[in-house]
């Protein structure tokens, strides 16, 4: 899972660099097959690409499945690291450039602790974006979706068709919305007395 310097040495067989599954936020995935690797699969970031190390005997279908699993695991690991406000602003700038041609330019982007019923908010007149601290620790693609949602409000204030067309550019919009809906639904479930929490 983590970067493994032992597997970087030598020249293991590689598959061509492929575009990542939609919404991973990285520009490429490189799969490296190894005859010495029997069962384990690992992955690490190398610049702007993700390297996935798999056994040489794996089928094409197994490879695709494991690439997806490892990308999700890496994203979950990365999301546990809490971004500061400066990093959040840099991320917003990167997302604006990637999905909105840099047209959405917030004056400020920051975490707030007073938003318990919203994931984020935007004041277009001030160019300010605020994200709820409840997003911290959620997968990267979910935080990116909320950032993009608020960035889109700098270009289109309401939630009309033009607004949703802007968000269609982000390939993980539906998945992120489903994740957030699941969190809200789970919060509404009644607490069962005697249930063990992990």
């Amino acid at each position: 899972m983590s970067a493994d310097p032992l597997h970087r040495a030598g020249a293991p067989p590689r598959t061509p660099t492929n575009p990542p599954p939609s919404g991973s936020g990285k520009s490429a995935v490189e799969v490296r097959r190894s005859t010495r690797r029997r069962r384990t699969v690992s992955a690490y970031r190398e610049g702007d690409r993700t390297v996935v190390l798999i056994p040489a005997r794996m089928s094409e279908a197994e490879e695709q499945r494991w690439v997806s699993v490892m990308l999700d695991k890496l994203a979950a690991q990365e999301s546990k690291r809490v971004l500061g406000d400066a990093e959040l602003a840099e991320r917003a700038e990167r997302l604006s450039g990637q999905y909105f041609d840099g047209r959405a330019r917030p004056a400020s982007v920051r975490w707030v602790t007073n938003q318990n019923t919203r994931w984020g908010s935007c004041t277009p007149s001030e160019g300010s974006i605020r994200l709820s601290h409840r997003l911290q620790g959620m997968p990267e693609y979910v935080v990116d979706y909320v950032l993009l949602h608020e960035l889109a409000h700098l270009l289109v204030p309401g939630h009309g068709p033009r607004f949703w067309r802007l968000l269609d550019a982000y390939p993980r919009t539906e998945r992120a919305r489903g994740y957030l809906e699941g969190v809200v639904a789970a919060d509404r479930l009644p607490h069962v007395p005697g249930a063990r929490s992990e």
Side-chain angles (χ1 to χ4, degrees), residues 14-192:
R14 299 176 181 191
T15 59
T17 299
N18 301 311
S22 59
S24 69
K26 301 295 174 187
S27 63
V29 175
E30 180 181 319
V31 176
R32 296 182 187 172
R33 292 177 173 265
S34 170
T35 54
R36 292 184 305 181
R37 193 174 277 270
R38 297 284 177 229
R39 290 188 299 249
T40 61
V41 176
S42 62
Y44 60 90
R45 305 285 192 206
E46 189 175 80
D48 66 347
R49 67 183 166 168
T50 302
V51 177
V52 180
L53 306 166
I54 65 171
R57 63 173 176 71
M58 269 193 186
S59 69
E60 197 71 28
E62 288 174 311
E63 174 185 316
Q64 291 304 312
R65 185 176 70 81
W66 275 106
V67 165
S68 179
V69 165
M70 298 312 286
L71 287 174
D72 286 346
K73 283 187 176 184
L74 279 175
Q77 265 188 349
E78 291 165 351
S79 72
K80 289 179 183 171
R81 188 178 68 83
V82 176
L83 300 175
D85 289 348
E87 292 170 304
L88 200 59
E90 288 171 14
R91 195 157 168 181
E93 184 179 341
R94 177 182 58 81
L95 289 167
S96 176
Q98 187 174 355
Y99 294 101
F100 303 145
D101 299 320
R103 293 177 295 132
R105 295 187 186 103
S108 68
V109 182
R110 61 191 173 93
W111 295 108
V112 294
T113 57
N114 63 350
Q115 288 189 23
N116 294 314
T117 58
R118 312 168 132 192
W119 298 114
S121 61
C122 175
T123 307
S125 61
E126 298 173 3
S128 62
I129 291 175
R130 295 158 306 280
L131 295 191
S132 171
H133 70 287
R134 295 179 307 139
L135 289 165
Q136 293 173 340
M138 289 191 188
E140 183 179 285
Y141 73 91
V142 175
V143 176
D144 284 353
Y145 164 72
V146 176
L147 265 175
L148 280 165
H149 185 106
E150 302 311 332
L151 285 165
H153 279 309
L154 293 176
L155 305 173
V156 179
H159 288 106
R162 193 167 147 241
F163 174 84
W164 293 111
R165 275 195 302 275
L166 279 174
L167 282 182
D168 282 345
Y170 184 56
R172 292 186 118 176
T173 290
E174 288 306 313
R175 185 173 180 186
R177 290 180 72 187
Y179 184 99
L180 293 170
E181 287 169 8
V183 170
V184 170
D187 285 346
R188 291 181 182 152
L189 290 174
H191 173 71
V192 179

